[in-house]
Amino acid sequence: MESSAIEARGLHKRFGGVHAVRGLELHVARGEVFGLLGPNGAGKTTSMEMLEGLVIPDEGEIRILGLGWARDGKAIRSRIGVQFQSTQLDDKIKVREALTMFASFYPHARDPDDLLKLLQLEDKADAYQSKLSGGQRQRLALGLALVNNPELVFLDEPTTGLDPQARQGLWEMVRRLKSEGRTVLLTTHYMEEAETLCDRVGIMDQGQVLQLGTPRELIASLNQPSYAELEFEGDAPDVAPFAERLGMPVEAKEQHWVVVLTDPRHDLQKVLNCVEALALPMQQLHVRRASLEDVFLQRTGRSLRD
Ligand SMILES: Nc1ncnc2c1ncn2[C@@H]1O[C@H](COP(=O)(O)OP(=O)(O)O)[C@@H](O)[C@H]1O
Ligand SMILES: [Mg+2]
């Protein structure tokens, strides 16, 4: 039987008094796009770096593509790709030069010009990497991780700080990696990213994976299929008469109310009837389905964006 891409059991890492990773268990199948989703400080990078062989765990076991770091580090390294922060590159290096330099480390490297095409950086081949936009720089960093044609690719917050369009571009590349049969482990604190890109997601907080599954499974576990958000012009009116008449819990924010629709077919009608009956000055009504953000909120009582 073919081994998994990643197997981690009982990983722990402490930095002085900080217990950064507490008992991480992870199984990632080949061909999967797996996301670790969590806020800053959750332990995502430390987890990633242990799996990449850059940080030695205090406890636990790691198998990468069926191999262990202690005995087969060199073999593992030749088969994985790690996205570096491109800020670690010399400012005076040009895009094609960087790809060529990285290619020289490997016996069967990909042709830099093919990579430039894949990354849509052909017209930037002779530009200094320091002159690239954020999105271009992230694509270059991804390209450097792909030089050795890796079976398994590690991407640590690949789209942090990118504008929506650049983010879409990166997502497209990740989808492409999957379609080529590669395995991807990525970290993110953007729930949309985890939701649209990942086959499975581990929700991480304070060094632990709190919940793990497909985005659909995680969201379904809430038993809260959707939410209605009622917006008002200016501040929202007193919520009490509405909540009483509706007979469902209403979360009142400063400028809008949120109602959980457990049965959208009936509940939405009730909401509208109450708005009508009380002649509320509602300006906008949004219905949105539950998201991974809501899963995180329910598990931790905090927002991912804190
Ligand atoms: N080299 C280090 N020395 C000391 N503390 C560290 C080090 N690396 C990470 N930490 C701490 O470990 C915790 C997890 O950090 P990290 O793995 O970077 O989380 P994330 O990537 O989810 O933001 C944080 O509290 C962080 O400050
Ligand atoms: Mg990090």
Side-chain angles (χ1 to χ4, degrees), residues 174-191:
V174 173
R175 292 197 184 100
R176 179 146 182 176
L177 297 181
K178 181 181 167 68
S179 75
E180 293 167 348
R182 301 179 211 273
T183 309
V184 177
L185 178 68
L186 64 87
T187 70
T188 183
H189 62 266
Y190 297 118
M191 58 102 185

Side-chain angles (χ1 to χ4, degrees), residues 40 44-45 156-157 187:
N40 275 337
K44 304 181 298 296
T45 296
D156 195 0
E157 306 236 10
T187 70

Side-chain angles (χ1 to χ4, degrees), residues 21-229:
V21 176
R22 320 185 195 192
L24 182 76
E25 305 275 329
L26 206 57
H27 311 275
V28 179
R30 292 198 192 219
E32 236 185 338
V33 176
F34 190 99
L36 287 174
L37 172 71
N40 275 337
K44 304 181 298 296
T45 296
T46 306
S47 300
M48 198 87 151
E49 290 182 344
M50 287 193 283
L51 300 172
E52 294 164 352
L54 299 174
V55 166
I56 299 173
D58 297 333
E59 280 173 55
E61 276 186 52
I62 296 173
R63 308 291 291 175
I64 301 294
L65 303 165
L67 306 172
W69 277 110
R71 242 193 61 190
D72 296 308
K74 208 171 162 194
I76 298 175
R77 228 164 272 127
S78 72
R79 292 168 63 186
I80 68 170
V82 174
Q83 184 180 28
F84 286 91
Q85 297 285 313
S86 54
T87 48
Q88 289 167 297
L89 282 176
D90 190 330
D91 279 355
K92 290 278 147 44
I93 196 165
K94 294 176 180 170
V95 171
R96 188 192 276 108
E97 283 172 359
L99 290 164
T100 305
M101 182 181 82
F102 270 58
S104 72
F105 301 151
Y106 299 98
H108 304 290
R110 294 176 71 164
D111 176 39
D113 286 308
D114 287 350
L115 279 170
L116 284 171
K117 206 159 149 192
L118 173 76
L119 304 165
Q120 294 170 359
L121 284 175
E122 290 150 297
D123 53 335
K124 295 286 171 191
D126 297 313
Y128 289 110
Q129 72 87 19
S130 55
K131 301 283 185 229
L132 300 178
S133 72
Q136 291 164 345
R137 204 171 290 189
Q138 282 299 73
R139 294 211 296 280
L140 173 59
L142 178 59
L144 295 172
L146 298 179
V147 155
N148 61 331
N149 217 1
E151 292 159 60
L152 167 60
V153 185
F154 292 91
L155 307 174
D156 195 0
E157 306 236 10
T159 68
T160 292
L162 298 189
D163 62 53
Q165 199 189 342
R167 176 166 303 152
Q168 292 284 345
L170 239 293
W171 288 358
E172 214 38 68
M173 315 230 57
V174 173
R175 292 197 184 100
R176 179 146 182 176
L177 297 181
K178 181 181 167 68
S179 75
E180 293 167 348
R182 301 179 211 273
T183 309
V184 177
L185 178 68
L186 64 87
T187 70
T188 183
H189 62 266
Y190 297 118
M191 58 102 185
E192 307 93 326
E193 182 158 296
E195 220 169 303
T196 58
L197 219 49
C198 298
D199 298 312
R200 286 191 307 139
V201 173
I203 294 186
M204 200 166 182
D205 192 38
Q206 298 181 353
Q208 290 180 308
V209 171
L210 303 177
Q211 216 172 338
L212 196 151
T214 67
R216 196 178 276 267
E217 286 166 352
L218 293 173
I219 291 165
S221 75
L222 285 174
N223 284 321
Q224 294 175 357
S226 43
Y227 299 83
E229 294 183 355

